Amino acid sequence: MIETGEIMQTLRMIKEENFDIRTITLGINLLDCSHPDGEVCAARVYDKICATAKDLVATGERIETEFGIPIVNKRISVTPVSLICQADPRPIALALDRAAKETGVNFLGGYSALMHKGATAADERLLASIPEVLSETERLCSSVNVASTRAGINMNAVREMGQIIKETAERTAGQDGLGCAKLVVFANAVEDNPFMAGAFCGVGEPECAINVGVSGPGVVKRALEEVRGQPFDVVAETIKRTAFKITRVGQLVAREASQRLGIPFGIVDLSLAPTPARGDSVAHILEEMGLERTGAPGTTAALALLNDAVKKGGIMASNHVGGLSGAFIPVSEDIGMIEAAATGALTLEKLEAMTCVCSVGLDMIAIPGDTSAETISGIIADEAAIGMINNKTTAVRVIPAVGKKAGDRVEFGGLLGYAPVMPVSRFTSTAFVERGGRIPAPLHSMRN
């Protein structure tokens, strides 16, 4: 039961501190839609999504109105398409995009492949189609899992993804490479992630489920202003208490959506997901801890404290906390990160170090348009290694800005924001990437 005091605190968080529910995401299992004929499969996919999600947006809007809690996005995630596709996957992609428009959701995720140990023929067909699909659809998002702690790193897939990201950027160059903002490469991808572009409905998920992603960097920042100068013990406790309050609201919205739609509640993902708006920045939380600018020495330690305290506080507020749950550091979506990158305080190498302790990885980073596919693959391999060795989810979502160089700027608009183009090492990793094969799983993966 949410008490009166909590309601008043929630209203203040919404009015003064940019708190919102970032997404209600409906996961839908499409395994029963598979068919040897791609057009038949596409028709089944479209019909099932439209039938299952027909009331999702309207229900979210009613909850938003009745409770006064902003719900920014309504989204859908589906079974990785490579698992249901027995032929050309492009008709399915178009059907997914049409279904997203018909149901009114902001994004639909799941044009995905799980290739951490190897590739099926369906995986390869899907990968080859990604650049074309992302250049021709509006709301469809794609993800590929290339590594896991248990399986190691599939370097063949890593090599392919560097090429695919380059081609996707070129096909959407007129939009500053927007297609790449809808494409993410994972290590240790999770099955119940409600956030885009990496959401998909895993094979261990039920027929359908409601997963809610909450946010609230501004709430945490405001709370830390009240304990300025106090020891880190106090900082950690303050973040934990704040995360608890935020997650309670997410639990309320998830429960309401589940009951009204008659769909099981899955998880609450407590991730501090920033926006380009001032007052809604993860970077500013780190700076409130005492950093002159995000990227300064101490940044990784501050982020580690934040990520851990968020998880500890959130886990006590819901029986089912899942997804990614922690702190996101997407450069183009965080005004503090944008400013730090523009001044040179935050570099690609420092961001990589920060991904060792945060929720995901190198996210929404614009890089020079002449960055080679092999260099992008090397960046993916480094990030996958961090995930594999540390048994955590990591990811890469980089945007080669065609025709632009370091110091220029790309514009995506909305929640995707804008970003300075960040420099990349001029030294090549071509011979390393061309080896292919698999980097073996670490010794500590053998836990049986």
Side-chain angles (χ1 to χ4, degrees):
M1 177 68 69
I2 303 281
E3 298 179 353
T4 303
E6 289 182 88
I7 293 172
M8 297 304 294
Q9 290 175 340
T10 301
L11 292 175
R12 187 183 69 251
M13 290 191 298
I14 293 168
K15 186 175 181 179
E16 301 176 8
E17 300 162 7
N18 294 310
F19 173 71
D20 59 56
I21 300 298
R22 188 54 48 86
T23 180
I24 296 178
T25 300
L26 171 58
I28 303 175
N29 187 311
L30 298 181
L31 289 174
D32 58 351
C33 296
S34 184
H35 192 277
D37 186 317
E39 296 291 347
V40 173
C41 181
R44 288 180 174 181
V45 164
Y46 178 84
D47 291 344
K48 182 167 186 178
I49 292 172
C50 290
T52 306
K54 65 182 187 300
D55 297 323
L56 175 64
V57 171
T59 299
E61 289 172 348
R62 283 196 296 271
I63 293 171
E64 186 174 12
T65 300
E66 292 173 23
F67 289 83
I69 300 170
I71 302 173
V72 178
N73 289 294
K74 294 84 180 173
R75 298 167 171 169
I76 294 170
S77 64
V78 299
T79 303
V81 167
S82 70
L83 298 180
I84 65 168
C85 172
Q86 301 180 46
D88 184 354
R90 289 173 294 181
I92 300 173
L94 297 176
L96 290 169
D97 200 49
R98 289 199 310 273
K101 293 172 183 175
E102 175 64 25
T103 56
V105 297
N106 307 90
F107 289 109
L108 188 153
Y111 198 71
S112 306
L114 308 178
M115 302 175 62
H116 37 282
K117 201 169 185 180
T120 64
D123 292 331
E124 293 292 358
R125 286 194 296 268
L126 185 135
L127 257 63
S129 73
I130 287 174
E132 177 183 340
V133 163
L134 293 183
S135 67
E136 295 183 356
T137 56
E138 295 178 20
R139 308 187 189 189
L140 186 61
C141 294
S142 180
S143 61
V144 178
N145 194 68
V146 300
S148 73
T149 297
R150 191 71 175 173
I153 304 173
N154 179 354
M155 288 299 295
N156 295 328
V158 168
R159 181 178 58 214
E160 286 185 81
M161 288 311 301
Q163 298 163 353
I164 287 165
I165 290 169
K166 280 286 286 185
E167 185 181 345
T168 303
E170 290 163 1
R171 282 178 174 262
T172 57
Q175 300 168 289
D176 275 341
L178 180 62
C180 295
K182 299 184 291 179
L183 173 61
V184 59
V185 185
F186 276 118
N188 291 319
V190 297
E191 297 191 334
D192 54 6
N193 170 23
F195 287 98
M196 298 297 168
F200 63 85
C201 180
V203 295
E205 292 291 292
E207 184 69 14
C208 49
I210 291 292
N211 300 315
V212 168
V214 303
S215 188
V219 182
V220 176
K221 167 72 162 54
R222 180 65 66 87
L224 291 184
E225 289 174 2
E226 301 298 321
V227 296
R228 191 170 291 168
Q230 297 194 38
F232 282 113
D233 316 69
V234 177
V235 171
E237 184 65 24
T238 301
I239 295 171
K240 282 164 53 181
R241 291 177 180 272
T242 306
F244 179 87
K245 295 174 188 176
I246 293 170
T247 310
R248 288 277 284 172
V249 180
Q251 173 82 5
L252 170 65
V253 170
R255 188 176 66 237
E256 283 294 322
S258 173
Q259 291 175 352
R260 297 184 187 200
L261 291 167
I263 293 173
F265 162 53
I267 56 93
V268 174
D269 184 325
L270 174 61
S271 288
L272 296 182
T275 71
R278 196 162 295 279
D280 202 22
S281 164
V282 168
H284 289 165
I285 296 174
L286 306 181
E287 290 165 11
E288 182 60 38
M289 292 187 200
L291 302 172
E292 179 182 0
R293 181 71 82 179
T294 295
T299 297
T300 305
L303 183 59
L305 184 156
L306 174 63
N307 207 60
D308 181 64
V310 165
K311 291 178 186 291
K312 287 174 177 174
I315 201 73
M316 300 302 294
S318 173
N319 288 331
H320 303 290
V321 171
L324 300 167
S325 288
F328 289 173
I329 53 171
V331 173
S332 79
E333 300 175 11
D334 185 313
I335 186 62
M337 298 285 177
I338 293 167
E339 292 170 346
T343 60
L346 188 61
T347 64
L348 189 63
E349 291 74 20
K350 185 61 177 180
L351 281 163
E352 184 178 297
M354 292 164 67
T355 65
C356 296
V357 299
C358 76
S359 280
V360 195
L362 297 172
D363 197 14
M364 290 303 293
I365 299 170
I367 59 177
D370 62 358
T371 304
S372 70
E374 292 78 15
T375 294
I376 295 171
S377 293
I379 292 169
I380 294 169
D382 283 344
E383 198 60 30
I386 290 171
M388 175 185 71
I389 294 295
N390 292 298
N391 195 27
K392 71 182 290 293
T393 303
T394 54
V396 172
R397 186 164 50 149
V398 294
I399 300 96
V402 176
K404 297 189 176 182
K405 61 184 185 303
D408 291 341
R409 175 166 151 166
V410 294
E411 297 270 359
F412 303 115
L415 290 178
L416 296 177
Y418 64 95
V421 177
M422 301 181 70
V424 174
S425 174
R426 62 185 176 85
F427 297 100
T428 181
S429 51
T430 300
F432 173 79
V433 170
E434 287 179 349
R435 286 178 177 269
R438 244 168 70 209
I439 293 179
L443 180 62
H444 61 254
S445 70
M446 309 301 292
R447 294 186 174 184
N448 284 345

